Amino acid sequence: MSKRFLSIGECMVELSQAGAGLLRKGFAGDTLNTAWYARACLSPEWSVDYFTALGDDAMSDEMLAFFNQAQIGTGFIRRIKGKAPGLYMISLKDGERSFSYWRDSSAARLLAADPDRLREAIEACDVIYFSGITLAILSRDHVDTLLAEIRRAKAVGKLVAFDPNIRPRLWSGYDEMHATISEGARASSIVLPSFDDEAAHFGDVSIEATIERYRALGATSVVVKNGADGVTLSFGGTVSFVAAEKVEQVVDTTSAGDSFNGAFLASYLRTNDATQAARAAAKVAARVVSEHGALVAREKLGLEAL
Ligand code: ADP
């Protein structure tokens, strides 16, 4: 039977340095990255859809064509007249990367403005994935609309996965960020936080504290990522640890967590075994940090060895 995975959020135009003052254009965004890796790792009986809003400009057309080429479904994506996608630029100075963003009026900020479209998409899919960034870009009313639909999905037994992906500068204040991310976690079945973010922004003193906090909110399962120090899983009340893979040379850690999430969910959906899924995801994420860019081609992920 065919099944459907839905990722909800914002994909942006990415401009990176191509040398001699030239810029290279790409497309990326946390939830799109996870959709990309879920697509790479799920079997063909699964389809993967992206839910966002785009504009009616040429850049939105190109982004849509890019999703289609990546075999990421675009059928639920709304086009909004007069809008355009958000954009970010990566600058390099003495080997250090920094990011500038132009996303305040992006089309994706209105992704939950059409509740019927949102409900149609969520009802049509079996697994729903979203992040703290998805919530951060929405107005309070639209957060309510999105979370109401996500709660409905969880209530009927769909798998709802959430990465808090804490980005303080996307939020107007700490209290709003803390409260809304907690609501997102409460609406989910699997929460996939990164420990360094949770410690820095929510004051968790240990990985156990992160697990406890999300479990207390109502997340059934928690997967705490901790970079090269592996992941700690809490599934069905059992806590286990899976080490990261050894990486010869870390080239670019962009989308390490996003790729881990996509690969983890794909493997978990196939095996129903969280530890096995974390091992497979650690292998995929290790390949991703060994290559440049957020979206590493399927052929380079070593999937045949999983
Ligand atoms: P995020 O990008 O969300 O901060 P992490 O840094 O925790 O996420 O990385 C996610 C996963 O990527 C880790 O659980 C691990 O499997 C893999 N990973 C990240 N950095 C390394 C590294 N230096 N060596 C090996 N694996 C890594």
Side-chain angles (χ1 to χ4, degrees), residues 194 225-228 231 244-245 247 250 256-257 260 282 285:
S194 290
K225 292 163 283 175
N226 196 16
V231 296
E245 293 284 307
V247 172
V250 175
F260 183 95

Side-chain angles (χ1 to χ4, degrees), residues 163 165 167 192-197 224-231 242-247 250 253-261 278 281-283 285-286 289:
D163 184 336
N165 239 334
R167 297 290 181 273
L192 301 120
S194 290
F195 181 64
D196 52 356
D197 285 353
V224 185
K225 292 163 283 175
N226 196 16
D229 293 327
V231 296
V242 172
E245 293 284 307
K246 291 245 177 314
V247 172
V250 175
T253 57
T254 309
S255 105
D258 305 332
S259 65
F260 183 95
N261 295 347
K283 289 196 169 79
V289 301

Side-chain angles (χ1 to χ4, degrees), residues 49-117:
D49 272 86
Y50 197 52
F51 189 95
T52 190
L54 289 174
D56 57 356
D57 62 327
M59 209 36 60
S60 295
D61 290 342
E62 273 193 41
M63 200 182 275
L64 215 56
F66 175 76
F67 296 162
N68 282 320
Q69 206 185 352
Q71 294 177 329
I72 293 171
T74 56
F76 298 119
I77 295 177
R78 203 159 61 94
R79 308 288 300 264
I80 302 171
K81 227 173 162 16
K83 285 279 178 190
L87 176 146
Y88 70 100
M89 194 189 293
I90 307 171
S91 302
L92 263 183
K93 196 176 172 207
D94 305 328
E96 281 292 310
R97 288 148 42 99
S98 66
F99 296 83
S100 307
Y101 290 91
W102 294 264
R103 71 191 304 189
D104 289 353
S105 61
S106 68
R109 297 213 165 223
L110 298 175
L111 67 83
D114 180 346
D116 293 340
R117 177 78 66 114

Side-chain angles (χ1 to χ4, degrees), residues 68-247:
N68 282 320
Q69 206 185 352
Q71 294 177 329
I72 293 171
T74 56
F76 298 119
I77 295 177
R78 203 159 61 94
R79 308 288 300 264
I80 302 171
K81 227 173 162 16
K83 285 279 178 190
L87 176 146
Y88 70 100
M89 194 189 293
I90 307 171
S91 302
L92 263 183
K93 196 176 172 207
D94 305 328
E96 281 292 310
R97 288 148 42 99
S98 66
F99 296 83
S100 307
Y101 290 91
W102 294 264
R103 71 191 304 189
D104 289 353
S105 61
S106 68
R109 297 213 165 223
L110 298 175
L111 67 83
D114 180 346
D116 293 340
R117 177 78 66 114
L118 191 57
R119 176 168 295 191
E120 186 198 345
I122 290 178
E123 282 189 345
C125 294
D126 304 277
V127 176
I128 317 297
Y129 177 81
F130 70 118
S131 78
I133 296 178
T134 311
L135 298 176
I137 62 166
L138 304 182
S139 69
R140 182 63 235 185
D141 280 2
H142 291 178
V143 166
D144 289 339
T145 306
L146 175 63
L147 289 181
E149 293 306 326
I150 285 180
R151 280 185 212 107
R152 274 165 48 92
K154 184 182 177 186
V156 300
K158 297 187 188 204
L159 185 79
V160 176
F162 174 66
D163 184 336
N165 239 334
I166 307 168
R167 297 290 181 273
R169 59 175 180 184
L170 286 178
W171 297 91
S172 57
Y174 178 85
D175 290 345
E176 186 205 19
M177 175 174 87
H178 189 279
T180 313
I181 286 180
S182 299
E183 279 178 73
R186 199 177 284 126
S188 307
S189 18
I190 303 184
V191 180
L192 301 120
S194 290
F195 181 64
D196 52 356
D197 285 353
E198 305 291 322
H201 304 302
F202 290 167
D204 292 345
V205 294
S206 63
I207 288 171
E208 291 69 30
T210 302
I211 291 175
E212 269 324 300
R213 190 165 48 77
Y214 283 118
R215 278 180 61 88
L217 286 170
T220 336
S221 309
V222 186
V223 180
V224 185
K225 292 163 283 175
N226 196 16
D229 293 327
V231 296
T232 305
L233 308 138
S234 170
F235 270 70
T238 305
V239 175
S240 56
F241 173 77
V242 172
E245 293 284 307
K246 291 245 177 314
V247 172

